[in-house]
Amino acid sequence: MNRKFLITGTLLGLLAVILGAFAAHGLKGTISEASLNSFETGVRFQMYHALLLLILGGINVLSDKVSKSIYYLICIGIILFSGSIYLLSTAVISGIDFTSIALLTPLGGTLLIAGWVILMLKFIKLKKK
């Protein structure tokens, strides 16, 4: 068991539930439908990757180096991808122009993809039992 993965996955999952409830109850009618859909996409991707961290925290098939790489790619990817979506979607409420961070969304997505690719390659290399 990898405690760091489990704690981080739980925290990110908890935040996704809180942010999802906030979007459904607090943002509806306050921001445009398109912005609400974007916010919900950020929540969904955060939850998917929180679950991935929980799964990876419960298995022991990856080396420490690979685990560490995937952990940082996923965590930084969530912060950049979902975090930028949250800020961009709620810019109307805050009155802050976050358009300068718009490029962080695809960068975060690329980091998430890289984490999945590394995971897939390591799984392909696992020896059959």
Side-chain angles (χ1 to χ4, degrees):
M1 296 264 178
N2 189 323
R3 189 170 181 257
K4 178 172 63 172
F5 275 71
L6 295 173
I7 291 170
T8 305
T10 303
L11 176 63
L12 289 170
L14 171 66
L15 289 173
V17 171
I18 291 168
L19 289 169
F22 172 68
H25 302 289
L27 293 178
K28 203 171 202 171
T30 308
I31 61 175
S32 71
E33 194 67 32
S35 291
L36 186 60
N37 287 338
S38 291
F39 193 95
E40 290 172 348
T41 297
V43 170
R44 195 170 39 255
F45 273 71
Q46 181 175 329
M47 182 58 84
Y48 294 156
H49 290 88
L51 293 171
L52 173 63
L53 290 174
L54 289 172
I55 291 166
L56 292 177
I59 62 174
N60 193 21
V61 296
L62 302 171
S63 70
D64 287 343
K65 182 181 176 184
V66 171
S67 289
K68 193 176 204 177
S69 296
I70 291 172
Y71 177 82
Y72 286 113
L73 287 168
I74 297 299
C75 289
I76 295 169
I78 289 171
I79 291 167
L80 296 179
F81 182 81
S82 293
S84 64
I85 288 175
Y86 300 148
L87 293 174
L88 290 163
S89 299
T90 59
V92 171
I93 296 170
S94 68
I96 300 171
D97 182 14
F98 289 111
T99 54
S100 61
I101 66 160
L103 290 177
L104 295 180
T105 308
L107 176 60
T110 301
L111 295 176
L112 294 173
I113 291 167
W116 283 99
V117 168
I118 291 170
L119 184 61
M120 179 187 64
L121 294 173
K122 291 303 171 182
F123 284 169
I124 288 170
K125 291 181 181 178
L126 283 176
K127 295 188 182 203
K128 294 181 184 179
K129 292 185 179 186

